[in-house]
Amino acid sequence: MLAEVLIFTAMMAVFLCLNYLIFAFGGHWFFYQYLGPKIPHRRILENDASSGQIRKEKQRSFQTQTIFMAFALVIYALYQAGYTQIYTNLDERGYFYFAVSVLIMHQLHDAYFYWTHRLMHQWSPLQKYHFVHHESAPPTPYSSLSFHPVEAFIQGLYWILISLILPIHVFWLFAFYSFMFYINMWGHTSYEFWHKDLLTHKILKHLNTPTHHNIHHKYHKANFSIYYNFWDKFCGTNHPEYENHYRAVKAKTEQYKTSRLLKMMKL
Ligand SMILES: [Zn+2]
Ligand SMILES: [Zn+2]
């Protein structure tokens, strides 16, 4: 039994470190060292994060991942005791349910994130804990897991709840964590890549953008959602300047593209 726990702990440690290496270290290197200098026209917020900010983000991320590791061990213990809905045999529920279950998990996380995030902003006992995350201004990929332990606990609680209430294949617990980190990393870059007409597109307008979360870090009082814009729209919590900011960032990109084209044509 002890050997199994140790193997699980080691596997989890490798998994968490790999994700951090790819999305936080990799994301920062890619956006701020490799690609960033070539795409200043895609910049959302102009100021750079200080080295002190990044150092704090790394320390807090380590703390967060230690808490996530503790949550993983709790889920493991609950699974061994037969309390969770986690299953490992694909044939148990079939491929259709396998596909649908991750969509349900995704939507539930979208709602959980919005409401817990909004609570942390609007309920004063939690504000001081969440504002640790807001010390990241401007945000960077390292901000993705830069939380106070209380917020890390709230974020980690989702994984225990989902394991208890939703029959979910073990694969999705790992894959969805990586997906969540990937989306978080995008939200914390200071670069916008979505199309200029995204906000008026019939379907794609429901997606969130890095600009959306960058504005959240700048103004604090709006834009609480993560993957989709449903909840902010439905509850009227989008920042009134969000669309203008988005258009201004995209106008900068369009202007750059046009002047580059004119230069190439020697006009
Ligand atoms: Zn953030
Ligand atoms: Zn916030």
Side-chain angles (χ1 to χ4, degrees):
M1 181 66 186
L2 181 67
E4 280 177 20
V5 175
L6 288 175
I7 290 170
F8 176 77
T9 309
M11 275 172 54
M12 269 312 295
V14 170
F15 175 74
L16 292 172
C17 287
L18 261 180
N19 274 275
Y20 196 72
L21 204 65
I22 295 169
F23 300 120
F25 275 91
H28 191 266
W29 172 80
F30 185 71
F31 285 108
Y32 291 86
Q33 275 153 324
Y34 175 69
L35 194 63
K38 298 172 190 142
I39 51 166
H41 53 285
R42 293 190 182 275
R43 225 21 224 263
I44 302 166
L45 301 176
E46 294 299 341
N47 53 326
D48 281 320
S50 67
S51 55
Q53 179 190 316
I54 291 178
R55 196 170 49 246
K56 269 191 202 161
E57 288 172 342
K58 286 178 183 168
Q59 285 163 354
R60 286 171 180 154
S61 301
F62 180 74
Q63 227 173 41
T64 299
Q65 290 181 99
T66 310
I67 291 167
F68 284 178
M69 170 66 94
F71 273 90
L73 285 167
V74 170
I75 294 172
Y76 182 77
L78 289 171
Y79 172 75
Q80 294 293 353
Y83 291 120
T84 69
Q85 305 268 1
I86 300 168
Y87 65 99
T88 52
N89 182 359
L90 252 179
D91 296 332
E92 208 177 289
R93 290 177 180 270
Y95 288 99
F96 180 72
Y97 181 77
F98 178 73
V100 168
S101 63
V102 72
L103 299 178
I104 298 171
M105 187 188 194
H106 179 43
Q107 288 306 322
L108 289 175
H109 190 244
D110 195 52
Y112 182 87
F113 185 91
Y114 176 85
W115 286 105
T116 53
H117 188 193
R118 191 170 163 183
L119 188 73
M120 285 188 278
H121 273 269
Q122 297 181 342
W123 191 43
S124 53
L126 287 179
Q127 280 172 351
K128 62 176 182 287
Y129 303 120
H130 181 58
F131 284 173
V132 164
H133 179 66
H134 278 265
E135 283 175 23
S136 297
T140 74
Y142 292 117
S143 321
S144 309
L145 296 182
S146 176
F147 304 133
H148 184 279
V150 171
E151 177 163 2
F153 182 89
I154 292 169
Q155 303 284 355
L157 194 60
Y158 170 79
W159 299 88
I160 293 196
L161 294 175
I162 208 75
S163 305
L164 292 174
I165 61 169
L166 181 74
I168 192 86
H169 192 279
V170 66
F171 169 78
W172 286 132
L173 293 176
F174 290 95
F176 187 70
Y177 177 85
S178 297
F179 173 70
M180 179 202 72
F181 204 157
Y182 168 73
I183 295 293
N184 240 316
M185 182 267 289
W186 274 106
H188 290 96
T189 60
S190 280
Y191 294 94
E192 187 56 76
F193 287 89
W194 283 114
H195 191 272
K196 65 182 172 55
D197 297 329
L198 181 91
L199 300 185
T200 49
H201 189 275
K202 227 170 25 184
I203 298 166
L204 298 181
K205 68 180 179 190
H206 297 300
L207 292 173
N208 265 338
T209 64
T211 305
H212 187 266
H213 197 65
N214 273 245
I215 287 177
H216 176 70
H217 273 258
K218 191 173 176 188
Y219 298 113
H220 305 260
K221 286 188 175 161
N223 295 7
F224 303 117
S225 53
I226 177 169
Y227 309 100
Y228 304 105
N229 204 245
F230 300 137
W231 287 105
D232 272 319
K233 273 204 190 95
F234 182 68
C235 300
T237 50
N238 270 320
H239 194 281
E241 284 302 310
Y242 167 45
E243 297 199 0
N244 287 341
H245 266 271
Y246 186 80
R247 286 193 195 98
V249 172
K250 296 320 294 182
K252 201 165 62 170
T253 308
E254 293 308 303
Q255 199 181 14
Y256 174 85
K257 281 185 193 165
T258 311
S259 58
R260 207 166 139 224
L261 191 69
L262 291 174
K263 216 188 257 175
M264 275 164 63
M265 293 164 75
K266 296 197 176 11
L267 290 173

